[in-house]
C-alpha cells in the first residue's frame, strides 16, 4: 500500500530581488511542507526553484506524528517559521534549514503568519477544547494570548 502524501504548498516565494518579478528571478525559491500519514519519516519542509527544478529537503525527520504545519517566511532575515503540532511547539530555522530552534512550547500552532514591521509572529493555538489566537516576538519572547474562548475546537 502506498502512503498518502499531503503537500501543503503555501506559495511562499522568496526572492533575493527586492522589486520586480519574483518568478523571473533565478534565485527565487518556493517553500512547502509535506506530511505522509503512512511513513512519518517522509515528513519534511522542502523548497525548489519557482520553475519546479532543484527540489531539495530543507528540514527532514519531522516524525512527531503530524509533521510540520503551516509555514511562514521572513526573506529579509532569512528565516522559516512553522508550527509543529505533534510536539506542541513553534519553530524557526534559517532558509537552508540550519540553526533550527524552538520558539514557544506548549502550543498547537495553526495558521502561522508574520507581521514583519511589528516584529511579531501570529498563530491559532488550536487545542480541541480551548482554541485561542496568540502572538509573540519573532524570537519567541513575549508570547501573549490575544483572543480566547473561541468555541469548542472541532
Amino acid at each position: 500500500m502506498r502512503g498518502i502524501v499531503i503537500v501543503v504548498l503555501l506559495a511562499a516565494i522568496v526572492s533575493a530581488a527586492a522589486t520586480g518579478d519574483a518568478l523571473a528571478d533565478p534565485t527565487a525559491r518556493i517553500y512547502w511542507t509535506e506530511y505522509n500519514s503512512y511513513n512519518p519519516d517522509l515528513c519534511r519542509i522542502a523548497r525548489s526553484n519557482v520553475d519546479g527544478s532543484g527540489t531539495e529537503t530543507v528540514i527532514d525527520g519531522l516524525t512527531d506524528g503530524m509533521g510540520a504545519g503551516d509555514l511562514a517566511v521572513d526573506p529579509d532575515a532569512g528565516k522559516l517559521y512553522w508550527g509543529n503540532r505533534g510536539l506542541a511547539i513553534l519553530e524557526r530555522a534559517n532558509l537552508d534549514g540550519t540553526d533550527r530552534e524552538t520558539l514557544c512550547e506548549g502550543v498547537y500552532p495553526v495558521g502561522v503568519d508574520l507581521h514583519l514591521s511589528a516584529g511579531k509572529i501570529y498563530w491559532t493555538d488550536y487545542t480541541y477544547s480551548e482554541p485561542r489566537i496568540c502572538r509573540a516576538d519573532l524570537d519567541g519572547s513575549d508570547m501573549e494570548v490575544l483572543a480566547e474562548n473561541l468555541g469548542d475546537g472541532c
Side-chain angles (χ1 to χ4, degrees):
M1 174 182 282
R2 298 187 69 177
I4 296 173
V5 177
I6 299 170
V7 176
V8 181
L9 178 58
L10 296 167
I13 299 175
V14 179
S15 173
T19 59
D21 184 2
L23 296 178
D25 179 355
T27 65
R29 302 286 181 265
I30 299 173
Y31 289 81
W32 68 90
T33 62
E34 292 180 6
Y35 170 69
N36 185 310
S37 63
Y38 291 103
N39 187 351
D41 290 330
L42 299 179
C43 297
R44 68 181 184 157
I45 296 174
R47 69 180 177 187
S48 73
N49 299 319
V50 294
D51 67 1
S53 67
T55 298
E56 62 184 340
T57 297
V58 177
I59 296 175
D60 62 1
L62 299 172
T63 59
D64 53 59
M66 298 180 92
D70 296 326
L71 182 70
V73 179
D74 179 350
D76 294 333
K79 297 287 186 186
L80 295 169
Y81 295 81
W82 69 94
N84 192 326
R85 287 180 34 213
L87 295 177
I89 56 177
L90 185 65
E91 296 184 86
R92 80 172 173 184
N94 293 332
L95 293 177
D96 64 1
T98 60
D99 295 328
R100 183 175 171 181
E101 59 185 315
T102 298
L103 300 179
C104 298
E105 297 182 46
V107 296
Y108 299 88
V110 177
V112 175
D113 203 1
L114 305 175
H115 185 189
L116 295 174
S117 62
K120 299 288 186 183
I121 183 168
Y122 291 80
W123 69 94
T124 301
D125 189 5
Y126 194 77
T127 64
Y128 289 103
S129 59
E130 298 177 18
R132 58 192 187 161
I133 308 297
C134 299
R135 77 174 176 188
D137 292 341
L138 291 175
D139 65 1
S141 63
D142 296 324
M143 186 186 123
E144 59 184 316
V145 176
L146 300 177
E148 54 190 337
N149 301 319
L150 300 176
D152 65 358
C154 288

